[in-house]
Amino acid sequence: PTVAQLYRTRKLLPAETIDPAFPPSQHLNDSVSVIRNDLTKLEVDCIVNAANKSLLGGGGVDGAIHRAAGPGLVKECSGLDGCDTGDAKITQAYNLPCKYVVHTVGPIYHSASRQDATRPEKLLRSCYRTSMELAMQHSLKTIAFPAISTGVYGYPSHLAARAVVHEVRQFLDSHVGQNNALQRVTFSNFEQKDMEAYAKAIAKYLPPTP
Ligand code: AR6
């Protein structure tokens, strides 16, 4: 469903939760979707992998992507010389139904992050922004993200969703009308906590058109 559809079935949160700097936009409502689904099943131009710096596979969504893609993926990844936190690299998708996989490395949310969350937030925003830039450089139009860093890496879902939706809204706003702009960004969550976190963040930064 699109965000607009999501809100037709959901009672709106109080108006004061909407950030006045981010008024409703039908264009954006049609460009962003939140779904609860397995990322490896999506027939989008590219899915984004929440990888680790080695890019050689792991657990969680990374493991699911490598299992579904088959051995060609790790073979290609092994030639990429890893990836820094907040950065992204692109590969073919092998047996996956999407066309490409963007591999990004989210920040680990340490106990120190509770005192100063600016650094992990910058890195998390960078993961999403860099992945979207990479997709655009490859003329891709549709991209689907998991809730990066909110699993093994421990980033609190509500803080992650707020930073991510704000970053994506700014990114889409800054490319409106460009012919290489992304047509659809999908947040493909696995867990209820992330669905709730995204509903709140979207009400704030991507409010539905009245
Ligand atoms: N589709 C969509 N979301 C999924 C799927 C799936 N198939 N499987 C899990 N999730 P995590 P991280 C959700 O731990 O926190 C790996 O070992 C999951 O419920 O996969 O960035 C890497 O190699 C959670 O909400 O990624 C790294 O070492 C979200 O995806 C490390 O984990 C992210 O959880 C990265 O940790």
Side-chain angles (χ1 to χ4, degrees), residues 35-42 48-67 104-108 124 145-155 157 188-191 193-194:
I35 59 173
R36 193 170 187 183
N37 211 332
D38 182 347
L39 199 61
T40 66
K41 305 279 191 259
L42 303 183
V48 180
N49 183 14
N52 59 59
K53 286 186 183 180
S54 77
L55 297 187
L56 298 179
V61 69
D62 193 6
I65 287 172
H66 275 275
R67 272 194 303 279
T104 189
V105 183
I108 300 172
L124 187 66
F145 286 99
I148 296 166
S149 283
T150 65
V152 175
Y153 281 0
Y155 209 118
S157 286
S188 182
N189 294 323
F190 232 36
E191 296 178 43
K193 69 179 169 78
D194 296 305

Side-chain angles (χ1 to χ4, degrees), residues 82-103:
C83 183
D84 289 335
T85 305
D87 205 355
K89 295 197 175 173
I90 192 164
T91 65
Q92 305 293 314
Y94 301 91
N95 299 334
L96 288 161
C98 57
K99 294 183 190 142
Y100 292 88
V101 180
V102 170
H103 305 262

